[in-house]
Amino acid sequence: MTTSIKDVALLAGVSVATVSRALGNGPVSPALRAKVEAAVAQCGYRPNLSARRLRSQHTRTVGLIVSDICNPFFTAVGRAVEDVAYRAGMRVILCNTDENPDKEAMYLRLMQEERVSGVIFAATRATADALDTAELGFPVVMIDRAGAAARCDAVLLDNRLAAAQLVEHLLERGYRRIGGLFGNTSSTGAERHAGFAEALQRAGLPVAARFVAPSAAAAQAELAAWLPEETAPEALVASNGLLLLGAAKAVRAAGVAVPQRLALAGFDNDSWMELAEPGMTVIEQPVEEIGRVAMEMLLERLRQPERPPRKVVLAGRLVARGSSLARA
Amino acid sequence: MTTSIKDVALLAGVSVATVSRALGNGPVSPALRAKVEAAVAQCGYRPNLSARRLRSQHTRTVGLIVSDICNPFFTAVGRAVEDVAYRAGMRVILCNTDENPDKEAMYLRLMQEERVSGVIFAATRATADALDTAELGFPVVMIDRAGAAARCDAVLLDNRLAAAQLVEHLLERGYRRIGGLFGNTSSTGAERHAGFAEALQRAGLPVAARFVAPSAAAAQAELAAWLPEETAPEALVASNGLLLLGAAKAVRAAGVAVPQRLALAGFDNDSWMELAEPGMTVIEQPVEEIGRVAMEMLLERLRQPERPPRKVVLAGRLVARGSSLARA
DNA sequence: ATGGCATGAGAAAACGTTTTCAATCGATAG
DNA sequence: CTATCGATTGAAAACGTTTTCTCATGCCAT
């Protein structure tokens, strides 16, 4: 039995309503306000957020739905989201979907039951395309991946451009047989593949792309199988940090020289990219900015529900390192 | 205006109480249960969790308070906690304290206002020692670091032993001037330092330890300053993954050969440890198990509030790699 | 046939707040 | 001197559930 606002009122000799007003910022005389604060301090009162949320009908809670918080990209994004959210007096509920549409649906339902103020969502391709954000009952900001048709706010990387940039970098450095490893569940993977393919076609080169499950292990297995083949590439583009990690492991296990026998390049400037010899060439995403902007857009949307949806497209930054050194 | 249980009752032609019972698992006849389910489906009813929590007086929510979810150790632990929690029908609120005691106090207060069922807490040394878990109002499971006096559940690594193990490994490989880099806020850093110092003293060797803020940048700066000194070690132990990352960066920037001029060893088998040439020797923590066991202990505690507190001490596993190769 | 007794259902209370509504009071304007 | 107004305050309703109580019904044992 915890102490409630009633106990405070009794102790301070005022009404329940006055306590509520003194704690929020209602109009209350300095004298009573002082009495209330004294009583609160004396009995160690803590407001019950469930009751407050029920009565006031807004939860000051946002959901953050990502595929896997263990992916450093989402960790960093999530951290930025939380910082902005807590600073705005909102709480964050984190959900990991493992790129599983069933889990996505389950968590979306949970968000409805929580009556969240809004959701920041990195959806799989399937869900992003099918999602009807209007009937959800709360605003959604898409991150990383956006549904083609989704009429809602989003903050994204210019994936096509970034992938093309990577290919052109490799072409410049003298590589020709360029392969690609892409995630098979996200629209991000698809877009990066599109930019990859376009750039190669512009150069009149064949595109050799493989799609894998979005995990380091899958990428490692795929590349391990690919390396001994005749079609094995001279340079490889990996569609995100996890896949690049897997690729690097496969390369190391096979004892393949980087970049002499195989150049590597990918996405996400994770902490190890600099450290793995000879340094990984990557497109760095502005991870902190993505999370911050997403949360800010959500807050903006809550203030102005009728504002037309907006998509913020951020640019990646090419960080060239030893793994794509110019060909001898 | 969302649909409430009242609307469902009206639509199904039964009382509110019956709807509640049909949705929970109260005793209700099959006929009415079917009618209720039909009505729920028809009007798309979603229970309001705030109301449910207020009335039923349990929130089915746990808090997870860590220093920084960007640290791969906490990411992995957090992921395991969430998996177990969601499977048990509980939600997780994540809080990042940045090892700041003020933030810790703030989040602890927030947890009280949320009326959480319990908290899993990686506290700083200061907080862990001062914390009075009895007056918090909810059970706490400490992870990673435990207060000396804290009379509550905990799941920890045998830090002393692990650090000593690391030192003995280096001694075996022929290193003598062994330095250490330890975090200056956590009790973990202190314990690992203790094990480190003991092992060196047993061997009759001097202990050269430096304490730094718990971040890769701080470790990098410290080691960069240390390397040129006369007292620079032949081998370095870093107290966690972040510090080891910083150390590796400093070593790389200074062009120091590993392990020829400086051997490296540390904690946490993060994904890059294998990849950073020549491979990092580390004590691997059972991260997934730590998170899982912590959450399971919390559930257990909720079932049996009066059970005496229990500490689970898990062992680390030494993974020897090239960074600690036997001395020539 | 009658008195428990288990079962299923509804009415209403309760959870701890915020918010609306009405009331009191002092002061200022007419 | 009185009527009106603004500022505070308290009483009570409301938020959407779960849970306690009460009651009706049918069944079994006496």
Side-chain angles (χ1 to χ4, degrees):
Chain A
M1 192 53 199
T2 71
T3 78
S4 83
I5 201 173
K6 226 168 185 167
D7 305 307
V8 177
L10 215 65
L11 195 61
V14 301
S15 77
V16 167
T18 300
V19 177
S20 175
R21 281 189 279 253
L23 262 41
N25 36 18
V28 54
S29 69
L32 288 199
R33 184 180 295 273
K35 275 167 92 176
V36 168
E37 278 167 9
V40 164
Q42 184 183 336
C43 68
Y45 165 73
R46 297 268 176 273
N48 181 321
L49 292 184
S50 293
R52 180 175 292 184
R53 290 200 261 255
L54 171 60
R55 169 61 228 212
S56 67
Q57 296 289 71
H58 46 72
T59 56
R60 304 188 76 71
T61 299
V62 307
L64 174 61
I65 309 183
V66 300
S67 60
D68 181 7
I69 193 66
C70 286
N71 181 336
F73 171 74
F74 288 121
T75 323
V77 169
R79 180 63 212 262
V81 166
E82 298 199 328
D83 284 347
V84 177
Y86 277 108
R87 216 169 300 136
M90 311 216 117
R91 266 150 285 305
V92 177
I93 300 182
L94 178 65
C95 310
N96 299 105
T97 66
D98 293 318
E99 313 255 357
N100 176 345
D102 292 339
K103 281 197 186 179
E104 290 182 323
M106 188 260 266
Y107 282 127
L108 247 18
R109 194 160 47 243
L110 176 62
M111 294 303 103
Q112 296 184 302
E113 301 188 350
E114 291 277 3
R115 302 291 193 270
V116 293
S117 307
V119 160
I120 296 177
F121 190 11
T124 61
R125 197 176 178 179
T127 300
D129 288 341
L131 195 65
D132 183 357
T133 59
E135 71 180 8
L136 239 31
F138 47 73
V140 173
V141 175
M142 293 283 202
I143 57 172
D144 192 39
R145 316 100 185 257
R151 301 183 31 72
C152 65
D153 296 314
V155 27
L156 314 152
L157 194 75
D158 190 337
N159 287 311
R160 267 187 144 74
L161 179 64
Q165 217 174 329
L166 226 39
V167 170
E168 271 147 26
H169 168 79
L170 290 170
L171 290 174
E172 226 167 70
R173 296 287 175 99
Y175 299 95
R176 285 297 170 269
R177 295 163 53 110
I178 301 177
L181 231 42
F182 301 90
N184 63 5
T185 55
S186 67
S187 66
T188 301
E191 287 173 19
R192 290 178 187 172
H193 172 259
F196 170 83
E198 280 168 18
L200 284 174
Q201 283 163 351
R202 262 200 304 276
L205 293 170
V207 336
R210 301 195 171 188
F211 289 84
V212 299
S215 76
Q220 181 171 0
E222 183 67 36
L223 186 55
W226 198 354
L227 280 176
E229 293 181 23
E230 289 188 359
T231 66
E234 305 166 346
L236 184 82
V237 169
S239 155
N240 65 50
L242 249 38
L243 300 188
L244 185 56
L245 178 66
K249 284 188 175 176
V251 161
R252 190 169 202 270
V256 165
V258 175
Q260 291 78 14
R261 232 191 82 200
L262 180 68
L264 288 176
F267 283 78
D268 298 334
N269 196 14
D270 297 344
S271 58
W272 60 273
M273 297 292 176
E274 177 188 345
L275 237 44
E277 293 294 341
M280 290 291 156
T281 293
V282 290
I283 296 278
E284 175 182 73
Q285 301 196 59
V287 282
E288 190 275 341
E289 190 180 2
I290 291 175
R292 183 168 43 77
V293 170
M295 188 62 215
E296 285 169 354
M297 280 178 77
L298 186 52
L299 291 172
E300 191 61 34
R301 161 77 48 206
L302 292 172
R303 256 178 257 121
Q304 307 179 28
E306 298 309 332
R307 207 191 44 175
R310 195 160 39 131
K311 297 209 186 308
V312 173
V313 177
L314 301 172
R317 187 173 69 93
L318 179 70
V319 181
R321 296 199 179 97
S323 70
S324 64
L325 220 54
R327 230 182 158 195
Chain B
M1 194 52 201
T2 70
T3 77
S4 83
I5 202 174
K6 225 169 187 168
D7 305 308
V8 177
L10 215 64
L11 194 61
V14 301
S15 77
V16 167
T18 301
V19 176
S20 175
R21 282 189 278 251
L23 264 40
N25 35 18
V28 54
S29 69
L32 289 199
R33 185 181 294 272
K35 276 166 93 176
V36 168
E37 278 167 8
V40 164
Q42 185 183 337
C43 68
Y45 166 74
R46 296 269 175 275
N48 181 321
L49 291 184
S50 293
R52 178 175 296 186
R53 291 200 259 254
L54 170 60
R55 170 60 230 214
S56 67
Q57 296 289 70
H58 46 72
T59 57
R60 305 188 76 71
T61 298
V62 308
L64 174 61
I65 308 183
V66 301
S67 62
D68 182 6
I69 192 67
C70 286
N71 181 336
F73 171 73
F74 288 121
T75 322
V77 169
R79 181 61 212 265
V81 167
E82 299 201 329
D83 284 347
V84 177
Y86 276 109
R87 217 169 300 136
M90 310 217 120
R91 266 152 284 306
V92 177
I93 300 181
L94 178 66
C95 309
N96 298 105
T97 66
D98 293 317
E99 313 254 358
N100 176 345
D102 292 338
K103 281 196 187 180
E104 291 183 322
M106 190 260 268
Y107 282 125
L108 247 19
R109 193 161 47 241
L110 177 61
M111 294 302 102
Q112 295 184 302
E113 301 188 351
E114 290 277 2
R115 303 290 194 270
V116 292
S117 308
V119 159
I120 296 178
F121 191 10
T124 61
R125 196 176 178 181
T127 300
D129 287 341
L131 195 66
D132 182 355
T133 60
E135 71 180 8
L136 240 30
F138 46 75
V140 173
V141 176
M142 293 283 201
I143 56 171
D144 192 40
R145 314 102 185 258
R151 301 184 29 72
C152 65
D153 296 314
V155 27
L156 314 152
L157 193 76
D158 191 337
N159 287 311
R160 267 184 144 74
L161 178 65
Q165 215 174 329
L166 225 39
V167 169
E168 272 148 25
H169 168 79
L170 289 170
L171 290 173
E172 225 167 73
R173 295 289 175 100
Y175 299 94
R176 285 298 169 269
R177 293 162 54 110
I178 300 177
L181 231 41
F182 301 90
N184 62 6
T185 56
S186 67
S187 66
T188 301
E191 286 173 20
R192 291 179 186 170
H193 171 261
F196 169 84
E198 281 168 17
L200 283 174
Q201 284 163 352
R202 262 200 304 275
L205 292 170
V207 337
R210 300 195 171 188
F211 289 83
V212 299
S215 75
Q220 181 171 359
E222 183 67 37
L223 186 56
W226 198 353
L227 279 177
E229 293 180 22
E230 289 187 359
T231 64
E234 303 167 346
L236 184 82
V237 170
S239 157
N240 65 49
L242 247 39
L243 299 188
L244 186 55
L245 178 66
K249 284 189 176 178
V251 160
R252 190 171 202 267
V256 165
V258 175
Q260 291 77 15
R261 231 192 81 199
L262 180 68
L264 288 176
F267 283 78
D268 299 333
N269 196 13
D270 298 343
S271 58
W272 61 273
M273 297 293 178
E274 176 187 346
L275 237 43
E277 292 295 341
M280 290 290 157
T281 293
V282 291
I283 295 279
E284 177 182 72
Q285 301 196 59
V287 281
E288 191 274 338
E289 189 179 2
I290 291 175
R292 184 168 42 76
V293 169
M295 188 64 215
E296 285 169 354
M297 280 179 76
L298 186 51
L299 292 172
E300 191 59 34
R301 163 74 48 204
L302 292 173
R303 253 178 260 122
Q304 306 180 29
E306 299 309 332
R307 205 192 44 175
R310 193 160 41 128
K311 297 208 187 305
V312 172
V313 177
L314 301 172
R317 187 174 68 92
L318 179 70
V319 181
R321 297 200 179 96
S323 70
S324 64
L325 220 55
R327 229 178 160 199

